[in-house]
Amino acid sequence: MNAWLIGALALLAGAFAPAALLTARGEPTDRLIGLEIGGVVVVLFLLLLIQGLGQPSYLIVPLVTVLVSFAGTLVFTRLLAPTADER
Amino acid sequence: MTGPAHIAALVCETAGTAVVVASALAALAMRRAYNRLHFLTPVTSLGAPLIAVALVLENGWGLTAGLDILIVLLLALSAPALGAATARVLAQRAGLIDEDSPS
């Protein structure tokens, strides 16, 4: 166990858990904010985990995660926008 | 690895992790979505760069540090766009703006 793995554990317990809780309750838009925070926290968690394990070849995973979570969240914002008859 | 660079890396990592955890807990405590949305910014504008600095200090300049910086840069660039898109949806659903208004 080194400092990087301890940091990764702290992010998992202290930041990803609240984000998951935000994603699990409330209005759809509240959940979307939880999803955004969770997406960012997962990327940082992966960075620390990879550093702690000493496997820089895995860095492709957070790199792809950043790009895919950005696009995915934008799709959610598009789907959550009210349609003409809903207004 | 030991020495001052390693200690500085651990300090930056601890600070970055603390900022991220505090922001996520604060977002959980907020009642309104608009207030909650603000707490994405410290994570990507302060916490993530601190963690990136820690990783660069630990690894030294190279491909690994370059990838770390690229990932954190993408985070810092994508978060404001997501925040703006989410705030826009919140305003539309609250009826504050029309769907087709550009502003």
Side-chain angles (χ1 to χ4, degrees), chain B residues 7-102:
Chain B
I7 293 167
L10 296 187
V11 169
C12 286
E13 183 223 352
T14 308
T17 305
V19 166
V20 174
V21 169
S23 299
L25 293 175
L28 193 60
M30 286 296 130
R31 285 288 132 231
R32 293 186 62 236
Y34 291 105
N35 299 335
R36 225 171 246 164
L37 198 52
H38 285 302
F39 286 97
L40 182 63
T41 309
V43 175
T44 54
S45 304
L46 183 58
L50 278 171
I51 289 176
V53 165
L55 294 171
V56 171
L57 284 171
E58 185 72 4
N59 295 314
W61 291 112
L63 181 59
T64 304
L67 266 173
D68 290 330
I69 291 170
L70 173 64
I71 290 165
V72 169
L73 205 61
L74 287 174
L75 269 184
L77 291 177
S78 62
L82 291 181
T86 307
R88 185 172 155 73
V89 168
L90 286 171
Q92 285 172 346
R93 291 172 72 98
L96 299 176
I97 57 171
D98 291 332
E99 181 185 344
D100 36 27
S101 71

Side-chain angles (χ1 to χ4, degrees), chain A residues 26-41:
Chain A
E27 287 288 315
T29 41
D30 294 333
R31 297 166 186 251
L32 181 59
I33 296 168
L35 181 70
E36 284 171 32
I37 295 174
V40 172
V41 168

Side-chain angles (χ1 to χ4, degrees), chain A residues 41-72:
Chain A
V41 168
V42 159
V43 170
L44 297 175
F45 164 73
L46 287 172
L47 286 181
L48 292 182
L49 188 67
I50 288 164
Q51 180 67 31
L53 297 176
Q55 295 287 346
S57 58
Y58 293 170
L59 278 173
I60 192 68
V61 176
L63 181 61
V64 170
T65 305
V66 168
L67 298 171
V68 167
S69 69
F70 175 61

